[in-house]
Amino acid sequence: MSSSVERDAARSLDQRRFDEWPASLRALFDGTSLASKIGFSASLITGDVGGHLRTSLLGIGELYAPDSRTLAFALWPTSRAARTLASPDHSVTHAAGYPVSHEAHAWAPRHDYRRAHAALTFVHDAAFYQVQLAVEPLQNAGVEGQDAAEAGSGLALFLASIDAGEIQQVGYARLTGGITFELSGDASGHKQVLDRWQRQLERLRKAAHARLAADGGGAA
């Protein structure tokens, strides 16, 4: 009997849901200790008006969590993902009934923002994560008097709230990595990349907190 129970446990899928970033992910997306996070990649999945799914890879220098239920991220403005997420034709408004899980999220219900669907997937701590996001462009976010895209050195900035998050693990195997990378070049080149990431994250941080403060939200 016990061996049968053990076999069933080994084969079982451990599937957990969350609507706030777990502590380990808040630490991952906190914009600090970037050198120790080199190699991490997350896949941002978007769907265009034609129903085609697109995947964009984001590194740790393009992801920042300003509070427990929010994620700010940066994309190249010419990318298909950026155009899709910024397109009014592809988005739906909160007032039209977008199914946002966090009605208490101060910045969500107060304004008729156009918001798009996206999913962020990645591997962390031997588990697979999939996070459904409600996304809006970070425009005119009041970053030192500049438009957010201008402040981001040409990057398009977005702010998303967690609609639903899911963690998956199985008992018979352990994920050893997702999509990972290593920096090319020498130590000087690595420093230049880390410095660029830090500048990007600082702009994301300022833009995200400016938007949340303007809309009555606060860091959680």
Side-chain angles (χ1 to χ4, degrees):
M1 177 67 74
S2 61
S3 61
S4 176
V5 172
E6 290 171 357
R7 286 196 299 269
D8 289 342
R11 286 195 293 265
S12 66
L13 172 65
D14 178 10
Q15 193 168 354
R16 289 162 284 157
R17 297 182 180 277
F18 62 90
D19 57 13
E20 294 188 3
W21 294 120
S24 63
L25 294 187
R26 284 293 302 275
L28 180 64
F29 300 140
D30 68 359
T32 67
S33 305
L34 299 183
S36 66
K37 301 171 184 176
I38 291 174
F40 173 85
S41 292
S43 298
L44 183 73
I45 303 169
T46 56
D48 61 23
V49 291
H52 300 103
L53 298 179
R54 311 291 186 184
T55 301
S56 302
L57 297 182
L58 299 178
I60 204 62
E62 291 132 2
L63 298 160
Y64 172 70
D67 63 28
S68 64
R69 293 178 173 176
T70 311
L71 180 71
F73 59 91
L75 296 168
W76 290 111
T78 55
S79 67
R80 288 178 293 194
R83 294 197 301 268
T84 294
L85 293 175
S87 171
D89 293 334
H90 183 67
S91 305
V92 293
T93 62
H94 177 85
Y98 186 83
V100 178
S101 296
H102 304 291
E103 295 299 329
H105 217 350
W107 60 273
R110 288 166 57 92
H111 298 277
D112 189 24
Y113 288 135
R114 295 185 178 275
R115 313 181 75 205
H117 301 268
L120 193 74
T121 66
F122 53 90
V123 172
H124 180 64
D125 283 346
F128 175 75
Y129 287 81
Q130 180 168 265
V131 187
Q132 303 293 330
L133 300 172
V135 185
E136 65 183 72
L138 261 176
Q139 296 173 340
N140 300 316
V143 183
E144 297 179 348
Q146 295 178 302
D147 179 88
E150 179 185 355
S153 297
L155 293 175
L157 309 185
F158 296 87
L159 189 66
S161 61
I162 300 175
D163 186 44
E166 191 174 90
I167 310 170
Q168 294 184 14
Q169 290 177 296
V170 293
Y172 62 85
R174 181 178 183 276
L175 290 173
T176 58
I179 299 174
T180 60
F181 67 92
E182 59 184 26
L183 296 178
S184 57
D186 57 15
S188 176
H190 294 184
K191 184 179 184 304
Q192 290 179 8
V193 172
L194 287 170
D195 289 344
R196 174 168 57 82
W197 286 355
Q198 197 64 68
R199 290 193 300 270
Q200 291 174 182
L201 288 168
E202 180 62 16
R203 289 160 184 147
L204 272 174
R205 186 189 68 79
K206 289 181 178 179
H209 285 291
R211 166 61 62 80
L212 292 171
D215 293 332

